[in-house]
Amino acid sequence: MGESDKNQDEIKENPAGPEDKGQARDDDQYEKVCYICRRPESKAGTMISMPGGMNLCHDCMQKAFDTVTKSGMDLSKLPGMPYMNMNLNEMNLNQPGMEIPKKQKIRKKADKQPALSMKDIPAPHQIKARLDEYVIGQEKAKKVVSVAVYNHYKRAFLGGKPEEETVPGTDEEVTIEKSNILMIGPTGSGKTYLVKTLARLLDVPLAIADATSLTEAGYIGDDIESVVSKLLAAADNDVARAEKGIIFIDEIDKIAKKKQTNTRDVSGESVQQELLKLLEGSTVEVPVGSNQKNAMTPMATVNTDNILFICGGAFPDLEEIIKERLTKKSSMGFGAVLRDTFDKDPNLLSYVTNEDLRTFGMIPEFLGRLPMTVTLQGLDRDMMVRILREPKNAITKQYEKLLAMDEVRLVFEDDALDWIAGEAIKRGTGARALRAILEEFMLDIMYEIPKDSNIGSVVVTRPYLEKSGGPLIRMRG
């Protein structure tokens, strides 16, 4: 028996070493991807596995043989690789970078999806109760989101394809359509935070994308399908799980139709038009592990029929449009609507209509695919104080935990919290200003306290915040 035959027998008997067995088990969860054409096994068919983690589909392998045959290449003349007598010890196929990166691998479809039951679906009041622990105020928004997510779970319970989604026990087949949400609120009112909190509380993949980076296909920027790519990555490249996920597109007001521009609007109305197919539901090819399509990136097919889309934006100057519409019909006399009637109305955004959004620059086709519109209120002083004190992960509680690790008790006086809330209102950036103010005043405390191990507690007072005094420090014992 020749040396090459022994090597081949050793490979057959012991194809993977002990250190490779765990990797092999992990790779069994993912589809094999062709090293040349980057198509997954579900599309290209059975793969031919090569050493070094390289897989080739039959089409690419046949093309390679055809190329060799046409060019007349004689493999026996290659140095160190005598044809039909190759020494596998001398062949170094385990080259770095030959294997497809894990982030670009696609998970295999399970033979049987875990069955959902109605008792596994949290009711709207349960979802809202958990949101109440983290989000202060915005009762209407929390209620709308809770109902939308509850119905989204029920769609997942009823089945996969829309034509199979029928209500049990009825004579007629009723297709349940998803209700996408448009979330409108001033900056810092909690739009993104509400969705991020929802992502932590519910076991459903969620991706947050920024509409400001989206451009028309063919221009510099992210393609529309990149929002689905982020969801696929959040679902660990599991297509079936991603197809029942939620996508939050932030800054949606930045793709409004531009007015009085001499340049091509590649990030405005055209992006709204390309988003229509995703919002309504379609099958799209998206790159795996990347935002850009190219020949070296595997592609996956994702159906957006069961994906819930939530779009959010601050919509600056929308209040002026609403105010103009409400006062447009004002007339003279005792029954006339005064022009300053809505100047100080904190709930002015709640009067928004599709007509106002169309005036802002959103096209009617886009608005038609976002049937649920919810507005978030701007934060007042009382809500700011509650945000500082009540949520489970309130900013003050975060600082208290940090100092508790140094065995120091941190206390915020009520007057101090009220001063911080008032200062945040002046900055006009909503709840974001609270952390900025606290970071500024807590810097010296966080720097000085660890110097002295005898300090037992620190009280943040209003004179300290007004720079007319210092924090109240008590020593141990």
Side-chain angles (χ1 to χ4, degrees):
M1 182 180 292
E3 185 68 23
S4 61
D5 295 335
K6 292 181 180 178
N7 291 333
Q8 291 175 359
D9 291 339
E10 290 176 1
I11 291 176
K12 290 179 181 178
E13 293 174 2
N14 190 17
E19 66 277 1
D20 297 332
K21 290 181 180 179
Q23 180 67 28
R25 284 194 298 268
D26 187 54
D27 290 343
D28 288 342
Q29 301 176 7
Y30 296 91
E31 290 191 48
K32 295 178 180 178
V33 179
C34 178
Y35 184 74
I36 297 178
C37 68
R38 288 304 203 260
R39 290 184 300 167
E41 195 171 21
S42 58
K43 294 184 179 180
T46 307
M47 296 285 175
I48 300 171
S49 298
M50 307 287 286
M54 184 171 63
N55 301 295
L56 296 174
C57 67
H58 285 275
D59 292 340
C60 292
M61 182 67 80
Q62 186 62 48
K63 290 176 182 177
F65 278 120
D66 292 343
T67 303
V68 171
T69 304
K70 290 179 182 178
S71 61
M73 184 182 296
D74 189 355
L75 294 178
S76 63
K77 295 180 180 180
L78 291 177
M81 293 179 63
Y83 189 62
M84 295 299 292
N85 189 26
M86 293 185 289
N87 190 336
L88 295 180
N89 287 331
E90 297 177 4
M91 294 177 62
N92 186 16
L93 292 178
N94 294 308
Q95 297 290 340
M98 295 183 70
E99 189 175 359
I100 303 294
K102 186 174 181 179
K103 69 175 184 178
Q104 292 186 350
K105 292 182 178 180
I106 306 172
R107 282 194 177 272
K108 292 181 178 178
K109 291 184 178 180
D111 295 334
K112 278 189 176 181
Q113 296 291 338
L116 288 173
S117 62
M118 288 299 295
K119 63 182 180 181
D120 297 326
I121 304 174
H125 70 278
Q126 295 173 331
I127 299 175
K128 183 179 178 299
R130 300 189 66 183
L131 288 175
D132 287 338
E133 297 176 359
Y134 296 90
V135 182
I136 299 300
Q138 314 300 357
E139 299 298 321
K140 177 72 173 179
K142 288 187 289 189
K143 187 179 295 185
V144 171
V145 170
S146 300
V147 172
V149 172
Y150 178 61
N151 291 336
H152 179 70
Y153 266 97
K154 287 195 286 189
R155 283 170 55 84
F157 164 72
L158 288 174
K161 298 180 180 179
E163 57 267 18
E164 296 175 356
E165 294 175 356
T166 58
V167 178
T170 59
D171 297 332
E172 299 180 356
E173 294 186 351
V174 179
T175 301
I176 300 178
E177 300 288 344
K178 66 174 183 287
S179 297
N180 299 320
I181 304 171
L182 176 61
M183 202 178 287
I184 303 172
T187 180
S189 58
K191 299 183 295 295
T192 307
Y193 182 72
L194 180 62
V195 180
K196 283 184 177 179
T197 305
L198 193 67
R200 292 200 307 268
L201 300 180
L202 301 174
D203 186 21
V204 59
L206 182 141
I208 298 178
D210 200 327
T212 54
S213 62
L214 301 178
T215 56
E216 188 178 349
Y219 291 84
I220 295 176
D222 292 339
D223 291 337
I224 306 301
E225 290 81 4
S226 65
V227 299
V228 185
S229 296
K230 291 182 179 180
L231 180 65
L232 188 60
D236 198 14
N237 293 347
D238 187 341
V239 176
R241 190 162 178 259
E243 287 178 347
K244 293 181 174 64
I246 302 173
I247 293 178
F248 177 63
I249 305 179
D250 201 4
E251 307 291 350
I252 200 69
D253 54 300
K254 303 304 185 293
I255 62 171
K257 186 163 53 176
K258 304 296 186 294
K259 301 170 184 176
Q260 297 177 354
T261 177
N262 296 326
T263 58
R264 182 172 176 84
D265 188 12
V266 299
S267 61
E269 181 181 0
S270 57
V271 176
Q272 294 185 53
Q273 292 171 349
E274 292 192 31
L275 276 171
L276 298 180
K277 61 178 181 179
L278 294 184
L279 296 175
E280 189 172 12
S282 63
T283 302
V284 292
E285 291 276 341
V286 298
V288 181
S290 173
N291 288 341
Q292 301 294 333
K293 296 179 180 178
N294 55 65
M296 299 302 293
T297 305
M299 303 292 288
T301 302
V302 179
N303 190 337
T304 65
D305 281 327
N306 289 328
I307 296 177
L308 178 66
F309 286 86
I310 303 176
C311 300
F315 289 87
D317 301 328
L318 181 61
E319 292 182 344
E320 297 299 324
I321 296 174
I322 298 172
K323 194 185 305 180
E324 183 181 351
R325 175 179 57 82
L326 293 176
T327 59
K328 185 169 57 177
K329 297 180 180 179
S330 62
S331 58
M332 298 180 64
F334 292 105
V337 179
L338 299 179
R339 291 192 176 275
D340 60 350
T341 302
F342 303 99
D343 284 349
K344 296 183 180 180
D345 190 346
N347 299 321
L348 186 59
L349 280 177
S350 62
Y351 300 109
V352 68
T353 63
N354 276 6
E355 178 187 346
D356 301 324
L357 294 170
R358 288 175 64 179
T359 305
F360 184 86
M362 312 305 290
I363 62 176
E365 299 92 335
F366 183 80
L367 297 173
R369 287 163 175 82
L370 296 166
M372 299 180 69
T373 301
V374 58
T375 58
L376 281 77
Q377 298 177 353
L379 302 180
D380 56 22
R381 197 184 189 105
D382 292 337
M383 290 180 68
M384 290 282 195
V385 173
R386 292 182 60 197
I387 290 172
L388 285 170
R389 184 187 291 129
E390 296 181 14
K392 273 192 172 182
N393 59 341
I395 311 171
T396 54
K397 292 180 180 179
Q398 295 177 32
Y399 278 109
E400 290 171 4
K401 187 172 183 179
L402 286 173
L403 284 179
M405 296 174 71
D406 293 326
E407 298 181 354
V408 177
R409 181 170 175 263
L410 177 65
V411 179
F412 289 88
E413 288 187 345
D414 292 341
D415 285 345
L417 296 180
D418 187 69
W419 185 91
I420 294 172
E423 193 67 20
I425 293 290
K426 295 177 184 177
R427 298 196 181 188
T429 56
R432 291 188 180 92
L434 296 175
R435 175 170 288 277
I437 295 170
L438 273 173
E439 291 281 356
E440 178 184 345
F441 288 100
M442 291 297 297
L443 176 62
D444 291 337
I445 294 177
M446 302 299 291
Y447 181 80
E448 298 292 340
I449 293 303
K451 287 183 180 180
D452 192 347
S453 59
N454 293 321
I455 296 177
S457 66
V458 179
V459 180
V460 178
T461 62
R462 182 162 185 160
Y464 168 65
L465 300 177
E466 293 175 342
K467 299 184 179 179
S468 61
L472 182 61
I473 297 178
R474 295 188 177 95
M475 309 306 287
R476 300 184 190 277

